[in-house]
Amino acid sequence: MNAERLARDLDWNLLRTFIVLAQAGSVTAAAEQMRLKQPTVSSALKRLEDRIGRKLIHRKPGQFELTEAGALLFKEAVDIQGAILRLGTLMRDVTDEVRGHVEIAMASHVVCPLFDQTLRVFHETHPAATLSINISASKQALEAVTTRRASLAVCLVRERSPKLEYARLFREYFGLFCGPPHPLFGRDDLSKSDLAGQSAVSFVTDRLEDALRPVTLMRAEADLEDRVVGTSANLEEVRRMIIAGLGIGPLPIHVVKRDVRDGLLWQLPPYDGLPEIGVHVVWNPKAKLNRAEAALLDMLRGKISEVPIEDRTYR
């Protein structure tokens, strides 16, 4: 395979179709997502395999998996797609340098005065810049930054990727809570043993191998029912299920202070030694940032370096 000829002749649309196909896991699903007919998708895959000179996907009844060459191509194609998606923003900055858009991928439970103050100063300093904040699970937020679909992420981090850079924005502590319909609501005489066998709700990242591992251990020590009856990536929906009485669930203590005060939530044992969770700002050092993105990231990193972690710890 001649690399120079490949670079000259390769059709980007074939790579784009391959990305969707690899993510969808079947020709049928990819065709539906792209609003194309199945033979069109299959033909695009065949043309790409012919152009690359390698089998990219093993397909037969009950099997759909990338080959080694397919996995390698998918990884590179996602990076190429991220660069292409950013071309519009970069070209806009050439014509008007004071404008720029910042795409923030954020976990749902971020309540941080320092972050809010930074956004205010950023807007006052760069009023022509625009922002969008997209809420998702931390895993998806990190993926968006890795593939350069987001300018930066504000989320939980379990394992650090060497491709990304990190700065801890704040620390928070999780407690266990129940809602008014729950039989333990309003009781001051509780011990951890009273929680044994009670149903639970939680976040999708509340797993031993994921970002909320300390919360998973707290639930296990409380001997809650192993089966989690409701999960969500969004704090508001976990809060909704707890208040509705579906079960006991974890929430950041500083986020739900008002709910406790208003009688919507009741904190349960344990009250000491609560799990500490770090929330980080994450960015891709290889991404070409527009002026707005660079300015906001510089402001955030500056604030983080100026303010001691003790003042960025919400108990």
Side-chain angles (χ1 to χ4, degrees):
M1 178 174 57
N2 184 286
E4 185 175 334
R5 181 179 178 184
L6 179 65
R8 183 179 65 247
D9 296 341
L10 185 60
D11 183 353
W12 157 246
N13 286 316
L14 296 181
L15 285 179
R16 184 171 64 88
T17 301
F18 176 68
I19 291 172
V20 175
L21 184 57
Q23 292 174 331
S26 74
V27 172
T28 301
E32 291 177 353
Q33 186 174 333
M34 301 184 74
R35 298 182 180 179
L36 298 173
K37 294 181 179 179
Q38 293 183 32
T40 303
V41 175
S42 296
S43 175
L45 174 61
K46 179 65 168 58
R47 287 162 54 204
L48 181 60
E49 289 180 329
D50 290 345
R51 186 73 70 188
I52 297 293
R54 295 286 189 278
K55 184 75 172 175
L56 300 176
I57 296 177
H58 289 306
R59 284 194 296 157
K60 59 183 181 181
Q63 182 185 24
F64 185 99
E65 62 180 15
L66 298 180
T67 64
E68 183 178 353
L72 179 62
L73 179 63
F74 175 72
K75 177 177 175 294
E76 296 299 324
V78 167
D79 283 344
I80 294 170
Q81 184 183 49
I84 291 174
L85 290 173
R86 297 182 59 79
L87 282 176
T89 299
L90 294 175
M91 293 303 100
R92 184 175 61 197
D93 280 356
V94 170
T95 59
D96 188 353
E97 292 186 349
V98 300
R99 297 181 182 274
H101 185 73
V102 184
E103 185 93 7
I104 303 173
M106 184 177 292
S108 71
H109 58 279
V110 173
V111 175
C112 175
L114 182 142
F115 183 77
D116 297 345
Q117 292 163 10
T118 305
L119 288 185
R120 176 181 57 78
V121 173
F122 172 77
H123 174 65
E124 291 173 350
T125 308
H126 305 286
T130 56
L131 289 166
S132 59
I133 299 177
N134 297 312
I135 302 301
S136 66
S138 292
K139 181 178 180 180
Q140 280 71 51
L142 292 169
E143 181 181 339
V145 173
T146 301
T147 57
R148 308 181 198 182
R149 290 182 287 110
S151 314
L152 57 91
V154 180
C155 61
L156 309 182
V157 174
R158 170 63 177 157
E159 295 181 355
R160 298 195 175 200
S161 166
K163 295 182 178 180
L164 303 176
E165 294 191 13
Y166 305 80
R168 184 168 55 178
L169 180 61
F170 68 93
R171 293 186 304 195
E172 61 185 0
Y173 291 84
F174 275 70
L176 294 174
F177 296 86
C178 67
H182 199 278
L184 299 183
F185 187 88
R187 290 181 53 182
D188 292 318
D189 58 339
L190 298 173
S191 64
K192 196 157 55 175
S193 61
D194 293 306
L195 278 61
Q198 296 287 338
S199 61
V201 300
S202 197
F203 296 90
V204 294
T205 47
D206 177 0
R207 298 176 297 185
L208 283 175
E209 71 276 13
D210 221 322
L212 285 179
R213 174 186 170 88
V215 173
T216 306
L217 295 174
M218 176 178 66
R219 283 199 305 103
E221 290 172 1
D223 202 20
L224 295 173
E225 184 180 340
D226 289 338
R227 185 175 66 96
V228 178
V229 300
T231 61
S232 176
N234 192 302
L235 180 141
E236 287 302 318
E237 300 312 317
V238 174
R239 170 183 173 274
R240 183 200 304 276
M241 289 186 282
I242 296 172
I243 292 175
L246 273 67
I248 293 169
L251 291 168
I253 290 176
H254 76 290
V255 174
V256 297
K257 278 184 177 179
R258 181 178 297 177
D259 286 335
V260 173
R261 188 171 64 244
D262 292 345
L264 295 174
L265 291 170
W266 185 260
Q267 188 174 355
L268 301 169
Y271 304 114
D272 300 316
L274 297 175
E276 171 193 314
I277 302 295
V279 177
H280 295 73
V281 176
V282 187
W283 65 96
N284 189 332
K286 291 187 177 180
K288 174 67 175 176
L289 301 182
N290 63 43
R291 290 188 67 243
E293 292 170 319
L296 179 57
L297 183 57
D298 286 346
M299 284 184 182
L300 281 170
R301 296 178 67 185
K303 281 290 185 183
I304 289 170
S305 64
E306 292 170 9
V307 180
I309 185 60
E310 291 75 18
D311 294 333
R312 293 182 278 120
T313 297
Y314 308 125
R315 303 185 185 279

